[in-house]
Amino acid sequence: MTVSEATKGFLFHCRFEKNLSPSTLKAYEGDLKQFAGFLTDRSLVEDMGAVDKPLLRDFIQHLFASMLPKSVKRKVATVKSLFRYLEREEIVKINPFHNMDIRIREPRRLPRTIPLPTLKRLFKSLYHVKINDVSEGSERGRLLVRDIAVLELLFATAGRITEICSLKLDDVDLRTGRVRIAGKGGRERLIHVSDPEVLSALNAYRSTMQRSEPHGFFFLNRNGKCLSAHAVRMLLRKHAKAAGIALHLTPHMIRHSVATCLLEDGVDIRYIQHLLGHTSISTTQVYTHVSGKQHRRVLKSHHPRRRFRTTG
């Protein structure tokens, strides 16, 4: 079987049998296209059964030449999944990954957060422009109402940018304040939004929507299509600049900021795990390395050294 045929069969399996998300399928397709390009550029094998351990080692070395360990790890995992599929389907007799001890160490990167005063400045600027500088019925006014709703919901739910962009109309219940988020692996979680300003922003946006289909996307671009993750990054950058914020802000930094602030306020880490949609508590625990403020408060209040003094 050729690389192209194997890729096509594997992606069909992932889409229709494993029911993986479109974003995962797109990532797999890109990774396998790169693997196929590696083989083609070097006039190597065309038959998947001829891929062996030395060839895989060359591919991994090739990836490390231009990529960070995190990207290498993901791409190797994709090719590994491909060969597991080919082995199960008895397309290849021997999986070349068998007995390969591949350990790709990622440097621990602490989440980058946005200081609360900076977030406050951003939202104050947005609402100031909405109240004083735009006409409510104008296109600019409608887009600003949408942008405020997007950023408020990102902050309220700590959702991933792709999760917020893929929300459907019936995922957002403004009467109860519940938002149904489809996370990674198709896992759903319900997030309760109770802040009155956030609900007001969402209601204001909802009232500008001229649509009747209940299964359409909640956030739309000016052409009535699903708002893209790239568009959200751009609108955040634009509004941060307008607010005079020099720090480079990203939607994912908002997510990190919410998690860190909750941890600093003593919220149980398992609730934060649910909020973020993490399957493993170890993923959420990265925020314990960021939250120095809580560590200082705990040690100051509870460390046994405070129970005695040697002077005075």
Side-chain angles (χ1 to χ4, degrees), residues 277-302:
H278 290 161
T279 55
S280 170
I281 193 70
S282 62
T283 308
T284 316
Q285 284 172 337
V286 68
Y287 294 102
T288 63
H289 297 279
V290 181
S291 182
K293 188 183 295 183
Q294 187 191 29
H295 292 173
R296 288 193 296 272
R297 186 167 62 240
V298 168
L299 289 175
K300 184 177 180 180
S301 302
H302 302 288

Side-chain angles (χ1 to χ4, degrees), residues 216-232:
F217 289 103
F218 188 77
F219 289 116
L220 302 179
N221 60 23
R222 66 180 68 210
N223 298 318
K225 305 292 185 181
C226 176
L227 187 67
S228 69
H230 176 71
V232 176

Side-chain angles (χ1 to χ4, degrees), residues 53-98:
K53 286 182 173 63
L55 187 56
L56 290 175
R57 292 191 182 102
D58 288 344
F59 177 62
I60 295 171
Q61 186 177 14
H62 166 73
L63 293 176
F64 267 112
S66 59
M67 294 182 180
L68 294 173
K70 183 176 182 179
S71 298
V72 175
K73 193 172 185 178
R74 193 199 76 203
K75 291 176 184 296
V76 170
T78 300
V79 178
K80 223 172 185 180
S81 296
L82 169 66
F83 275 98
R84 280 199 298 268
Y85 160 77
L86 296 175
E87 184 181 28
R88 280 196 309 271
E89 296 296 312
E90 299 182 346
I91 295 169
V92 297
K93 292 182 180 180
I94 300 175
N95 185 340
F97 278 100
H98 282 175

Side-chain angles (χ1 to χ4, degrees), residues 176-273:
T176 62
R178 290 189 300 183
V179 180
R180 183 174 61 238
I181 295 178
K184 290 184 176 180
R187 292 179 295 272
E188 289 189 352
R189 62 190 189 275
L190 277 178
I191 306 298
H192 292 264
V193 177
S194 57
D195 186 273
E197 287 193 3
V198 178
L199 291 173
S200 177
L202 293 173
N203 274 300
Y205 168 67
R206 184 69 177 265
S207 68
T208 68
M209 299 159 58
Q210 302 297 322
R211 296 171 297 172
S212 58
E213 68 278 13
H215 303 297
F217 289 103
F218 188 77
F219 289 116
L220 302 179
N221 60 23
R222 66 180 68 210
N223 298 318
K225 305 292 185 181
C226 176
L227 187 67
S228 69
H230 176 71
V232 176
R233 295 187 189 98
M234 292 300 101
L235 71 85
L236 176 56
R237 185 179 302 178
K238 178 184 75 173
H239 292 304
K241 183 178 180 181
I245 298 170
L247 181 66
H248 175 66
L249 307 186
T250 69
H252 216 66
M253 289 170 69
I254 295 177
R255 175 175 164 87
H256 292 325
S257 301
V258 175
T260 303
C261 288
L262 289 173
L263 192 64
E264 288 177 347
D265 281 349
V267 175
D268 187 276
I269 194 169
R270 294 212 173 266
Y271 173 77
I272 300 173
Q273 177 190 3

